[in-house]
Amino acid sequence: MANLKNLPLPLQEVYEWQYQGACQGLESARFFSPDAERGSRRRDREAAAKAVCGTCPVITECREHALAAREPYGVWGGLTEHERTAILQHSSSVSA
């Protein structure tokens, strides 16, 4: 008989926290930059996305996922892609 403890968890259980996100049901365009978005439009969109994240009961899980998965785009867990990159670069330089 197979040892079930060694089997990976079903994806639904791993990502179930996403169903509790404050972003659930909102347009993804609020969190992801359209092509060539720059300057104040980008800052305003990111600020609006971060405001949603600020009310989110699963912001920590979302942030941890984005950092672990190295999500390359969008606002996740209240962090932009540039903020996540800076955190990851800092933690890799500290551990080196």
Side-chain angles (χ1 to χ4, degrees), residues 16-86:
E16 197 167 73
W17 58 268
Q18 291 181 352
Y19 294 116
Q20 299 169 18
C23 60
Q24 189 73 12
L26 299 178
E27 290 186 26
S28 62
R30 183 179 298 197
F31 300 92
F32 296 93
S33 176
D35 289 341
E37 181 187 54
R38 302 279 186 269
S40 63
R41 285 185 184 229
R42 183 179 189 117
R43 285 190 300 275
D44 291 347
R45 182 193 48 77
E46 289 175 342
K50 287 180 173 193
V52 173
C53 295
T55 68
C56 188
V58 292
I59 189 172
T60 302
E61 292 89 338
C62 184
R63 182 175 293 170
E64 288 172 357
H65 161 77
L67 291 169
R70 298 182 181 267
E71 289 288 351
Y73 304 108
V75 174
W76 290 79
L79 298 173
T80 66
E81 56 262 28
H82 301 294
E83 292 166 334
R84 291 191 306 277
T85 299

